[in-house]
Amino acid sequence: MTKTVLVVGAGQAGAEFALAYRAKNSTDRIVLVGEEPELPYRRPPLSKLFLARQMPQAQIYLHAEATYAKQNVELRLGLRAEAIDRNARRVRFADGSSEPYDTLVLATGGRVRSLSVPGADASNVRYLRSLADAQALSALLGPGKRLVIIGGGYIGLEVAATARGLETQVTVLESMPRVLARVTAPELSAFYEKVHRDAGVVVRTDVQIDHIEHGHQGSAVVLKSGERHPADVILVGIGLIPNTELAADAGLDVDNGIRVDGHAQTSDPNILAVGDCANHHNRLLNRRLRLESVPNAMEQSRAAAATLAGTPTEYAPVPWFWSDQYKLKLQMAGLSQGHDQTVMRGDPAKQSFTVFYLSQGAVIAADTVNHPPEHQLAKRMVAERLRPDIQRLADDTQPLKDLFITNTERKA
Ligand code: FAD
């Protein structure tokens, strides 16, 4: 009998799941429901090429509409799922309709964390998650415009770089003592702060926002210290909240994301969860984690499709991520939390280097700037928890792969 696989959330993960499952199963009915009116699209260009007006909108979509039709994936866009009835195995939508399911896949992603200071509700205080957000922000950038970015994380820094490319005046305000503090080593933060300052960005760290003023002369972000940063537009980039309410209201296990195992299985055998909204158990790292990245959305969705198709493949990746700022490609492998040593390989002044993070002699993470082949090897090192000779690791005159081979031989 034909089963219905209902996917809620038509972003990177939902779309990938639908097509990956269709590749494995030609008969089940697949329905892909998304709240946004757009065909599924990729978000990374929203802070990079698309925001810079260098990518036409047509290129942002993951697939043409015809691809879903050809693959017999029913698309229902502009429709919000409001409740799951797990007993009846049915999802109710905002327009009053409902859909039964045999398997439900939750791919609901996340929403921006909002800033709650006086003045933060004005129309020139913007966020960046959707295509519509990027279109609106892009129109506000350009010569003579003043952009103040609240939050020196990836999105804030990528937007800063793009806005400078559009000749916007840019200030970045970060509450931590350094940018990218939650995810990278001090060396990397210092490197990116310098890169941005050299490009003309005002970077202020360790600052707290008091309120945002709006007057005849424009707006200003006012710090607790009293310092004022005039702005025409303010971008808030202070993190993501996973969309878990649908799951929590239905009684699924939720804790910083919908809890799933290494096969994307939730606490209900008929419900899977994938992408930014899912908190998975990663056997390789022996811990739970919720990742916000395209590689996670893609690879976890493929694992979920395999689970449902009856050919389960455990999802236990080395997490990885990239960020493009100016002409710099940052690629991160592994998770650096818990490291007790960092090793710098290469010279930041040459804008091509890697910071390795080790715990008790084993490589647990690596951040690579402008050196993609080294990133690939670093990923392998993390997967194998390699214990390299530190002096050789730091010496970039020795190819990383030789060190890898030596270590393998030593292990043998
Ligand atoms: P989403 O893409 O958020 O999709 C979820 C979808 O579900 C949304 O369309 C939402 O509207 C819909 N939805 C939610 N609730 C419901 C409901 N109740 N009913 C119906 N639909 C619903 N990652 C990288 O790896 N590299 C990068 O360089 C990078 N750059 C980024 C830049 C920006 C500006 C942003 C915003 C993100 C970036 N990311 C990057 C992160 C990456 O885009 C996300 O990790 C990825 O999009 C996650 O995919 P997802 O499908 O899980 O979630």
Side-chain angles (χ1 to χ4, degrees), residues 78-402:
L79 186 60
R80 179 174 174 78
E82 292 217 314
I84 305 166
D85 181 339
R86 284 168 59 196
N87 290 330
R89 278 199 246 148
R90 188 170 273 280
V91 171
R92 180 167 50 75
F93 300 108
D95 66 356
S97 66
S98 68
E99 190 71 65
Y101 65 83
D102 294 282
T103 299
L104 174 64
V105 181
L106 295 173
T108 47
R111 59 185 180 276
V112 291
R113 187 180 297 282
S114 54
L115 180 71
S116 55
V117 298
D121 51 0
S123 61
N124 63 344
V125 179
R126 321 288 310 195
Y127 293 85
L128 182 56
R129 180 73 188 171
S130 67
L131 180 60
D133 293 338
Q135 284 166 326
L137 180 64
S138 186
L140 295 168
L141 305 178
K145 299 283 188 206
R146 297 163 302 175
L147 168 69
V148 172
I149 298 172
I150 297 176
Y154 290 117
I155 291 196
L157 295 186
E158 288 185 354
V159 171
T162 301
R164 284 304 296 141
L166 294 170
E167 297 176 47
T168 313
Q169 290 178 38
V170 182
T171 300
V172 173
L173 304 175
E174 166 58 50
S175 63
M176 306 280 277
R178 54 189 177 88
V179 300
L180 299 175
R182 286 181 193 85
V183 284
T184 62
E187 293 91 328
L188 217 81
S189 299
F191 171 78
Y192 273 98
E193 283 173 21
K194 179 171 175 356
V195 164
H196 280 279
R197 287 190 174 119
D198 288 351
V201 176
V202 174
V203 181
R204 299 280 288 111
T205 54
D206 221 351
V207 295
Q208 312 302 321
I209 314 296
D210 188 75
H211 65 278
I212 303 175
E213 271 173 20
H214 305 281
H216 299 306
Q217 317 253 306
S219 302
V221 179
V222 184
L223 306 182
K224 295 249 190 252
S225 64
E227 194 175 297
R228 294 174 81 258
H229 291 277
D232 300 299
V233 56
I234 295 136
L235 176 76
V236 180
I238 55 172
L240 183 96
I241 298 172
N243 289 326
T244 56
E245 289 76 4
L246 208 53
D249 291 350
L252 297 180
D253 287 353
V254 168
D255 179 15
N256 180 29
I258 305 166
R259 283 170 72 99
V260 295
D261 64 11
H263 295 96
Q265 184 71 66
T266 69
S267 51
D268 180 327
N270 300 312
I271 305 180
L272 304 170
V274 289
D276 281 12
C277 69
N279 179 327
H280 78 282
H281 183 264
N282 185 307
R283 194 171 42 85
L284 182 72
L285 304 175
N286 193 26
R287 57 168 285 192
R288 287 205 152 268
L289 62 158
R290 189 179 64 75
L291 298 168
E292 295 169 11
S293 76
V294 167
N296 172 66
M298 305 285 283
E299 292 163 25
Q300 193 175 33
S301 295
R302 288 178 201 143
T307 301
L308 190 58
T311 52
T313 323
E314 189 170 5
Y315 176 65
V318 171
W320 67 276
F321 186 81
W322 80 91
S323 173
D324 297 331
Q325 295 167 46
Y326 307 103
K327 291 195 171 4
L328 300 171
K329 179 168 282 297
L330 168 63
Q331 293 168 294
M332 315 179 75
L335 296 178
S336 58
Q337 285 157 2
H339 70 273
D340 52 34
Q341 187 178 9
T342 57
V343 174
M344 173 70 79
R345 179 182 167 88
D347 182 1
K350 293 188 182 145
Q351 302 210 325
S352 175
F353 62 97
T354 299
V355 178
F356 287 91
Y357 301 80
L358 293 91
S359 171
Q360 296 175 5
V363 176
I364 59 167
D367 297 341
T368 302
V369 174
N370 276 0
H371 206 334
E374 209 151 86
H375 165 71
Q376 292 305 334
L377 286 167
K379 243 198 304 194
R380 266 181 65 196
M381 285 182 156
V382 175
E384 296 187 15
R385 295 220 141 208
L386 219 70
R387 296 173 177 277
D389 179 285
I390 300 300
Q391 275 186 345
R392 296 184 57 149
L393 182 65
D395 180 359
D396 72 337
T397 62
Q398 309 211 22
L400 198 59
K401 67 175 179 355
D402 287 0

